Amino acid sequence: MKILIIEDEPHNAQILSEIIVQLKPNSIILETLESVEQAVKYLSNHNNTPDLIFSDIQLADGLSFEIFSKIKIKCPIIFCTAYDQYTLQAFKTNGIEYILKPVKEEDIEAAFIKYDTLKESLKPDNEIVHLLKKTFSEKKNYKTSILVHYKESFIPIAVHKIAFFVVENEILYIQTLDTQRYPVFKTISEIESSIDPSLFFRINRQVLLNKNIIKEIQPYFNRKVIIITDKTITEQLIVSRLKVTEFMNWIEQS
């Protein structure tokens, strides 16, 4: 897959590139462009035809929509932006996903899944716009408790009493604040999408962590960080390198 990135912030472009390569190692990043002018010039050359475009919206010399009004493109666009007011305009272009910054690996992965699904049989543009607008506008009701199997019964565990979720030997477990542990017969991605993202953060592929147990954040090797808690926890709670910036921003949010 040939991918074009349009992003005027080098740090964001680098993070996005790393996530793309990690999720799609066989993909080719054709170029990273920083402005409307550069993108128009690049896409005017018919030899530079991407299969997919990742594009910021607010660029140094204007909005990226100016590019797509000047150049007729056939490939889908995944918009990555810090602003939510351009949703409808994005989907009136070839937009198939609208990701709010800071970019998350899970959001990019979901966007690739959507791209792969639509690639073989795209619906008419107006139907895609309608479906995506409906999906984007739906309000999320997050779970307040999780049912776990205990002895011969099911018992509810209040979400705010969960220290973290952890995958071990392909099984997902809940660890409560009082150090009890229960298996949950769901995937960590299913749990992540059903609980409040302001309370829980997926620090790596194995661990979904409750913000309220964090006492300190310390540097770790290879640009990772490790979390120190005030609970008796044996696991090393390490934030993966690609998630550190997003994690730090999440910590500061209310």
Side-chain angles (χ1 to χ4, degrees):
M1 183 194 310
K2 296 182 292 183
I3 296 173
L4 176 66
I5 296 175
I6 304 173
E7 169 62 69
D8 63 348
E9 297 179 22
H11 177 68
N12 289 338
Q14 180 62 32
I15 290 175
L16 180 57
S17 297
E18 291 179 1
I19 294 174
I20 290 171
V21 170
Q22 181 169 305
L23 294 174
K24 294 283 187 180
N26 294 326
S27 63
I28 299 171
I29 297 178
L30 296 172
E31 190 66 77
T32 298
L33 307 174
E34 298 181 356
S35 67
V36 172
E37 181 180 1
Q38 285 183 358
V40 169
K41 183 177 180 180
Y42 183 89
L43 291 168
S44 296
N45 185 339
H46 296 297
N47 293 322
N48 300 327
T49 306
D51 298 311
L52 179 64
I53 295 174
F54 282 83
S55 180
D56 194 358
I57 291 180
Q58 289 198 348
L59 303 173
D61 60 345
L63 300 180
S64 61
F65 301 126
E66 297 175 36
I67 302 165
F68 311 118
S69 66
K70 295 176 181 178
I71 301 294
K72 184 70 174 178
I73 62 167
K74 296 181 180 180
C75 70
I77 308 164
I78 296 170
F79 288 98
C80 304
T81 178
Y83 305 92
D84 61 5
Q85 67 264 39
Y86 300 110
T87 310
L88 182 57
Q89 196 170 354
F91 291 142
K92 284 184 175 179
T93 65
N94 285 25
I96 63 167
E97 189 63 284
Y98 193 98
I99 298 173
L100 291 176
K101 293 179 179 178
V103 172
K104 302 177 183 177
E105 181 181 346
E106 291 76 17
D107 291 339
I108 300 298
E109 186 174 20
F112 275 130
I113 292 171
K114 182 176 289 185
Y115 168 79
D116 290 336
T117 302
L118 295 173
K119 182 173 60 175
E120 296 298 327
S121 179
L122 285 172
K123 295 182 179 179
D125 288 348
N126 60 335
E127 291 186 33
I128 293 175
V129 172
H130 175 73
L131 289 171
L132 291 174
K133 283 170 59 182
K134 181 180 177 182
T135 300
F136 196 82
S137 62
E138 287 177 348
K139 292 185 178 179
K140 188 76 173 180
N141 293 317
Y142 297 111
K143 290 183 181 293
T144 57
S145 62
I146 305 290
L147 281 177
V148 299
H149 194 229
Y150 180 68
K151 295 183 178 179
E152 301 300 320
S153 304
F154 287 95
I155 60 173
I157 305 294
V159 169
H160 70 272
K161 293 183 178 179
I162 297 171
F164 57 86
F165 299 83
V166 60
V167 177
E168 291 183 355
N169 299 319
E170 299 184 355
I171 297 175
L172 180 65
Y173 294 92
I174 281 175
Q175 177 147 326
T176 61
L177 296 174
D178 59 359
T179 69
Q180 298 298 308
R181 183 168 286 204
Y182 307 94
V184 184
F185 300 105
K186 293 184 178 181
T187 68
I188 193 168
S189 294
E190 288 174 324
I191 293 293
E192 182 182 15
S193 65
S194 67
I195 59 178
D196 188 350
S198 68
L199 182 61
F200 282 85
F201 186 92
R202 190 167 175 180
I203 61 173
N204 55 49
R205 291 188 178 275
Q206 286 75 41
V207 177
L208 184 61
L209 183 73
N210 186 336
K211 177 186 287 186
N212 294 326
I213 73 167
I214 298 171
K215 182 180 179 182
E216 295 179 30
I217 303 167
Q218 297 179 356
Y220 199 65
F221 74 91
N222 196 23
R223 290 188 289 166
K224 302 174 185 177
V225 296
I226 188 167
I227 295 166
I228 308 301
T229 76
D230 56 2
K231 306 294 179 183
T232 305
I233 293 175
T234 58
E235 283 82 3
Q236 281 194 316
L237 301 174
I238 298 169
V239 182
S240 64
R241 179 172 59 87
L242 289 175
K243 289 178 172 283
V244 169
T245 299
E246 179 191 348
F247 173 74
M248 293 300 194
N249 290 332
W250 173 77
I251 287 294
E252 293 181 333
Q253 294 172 356
S254 59

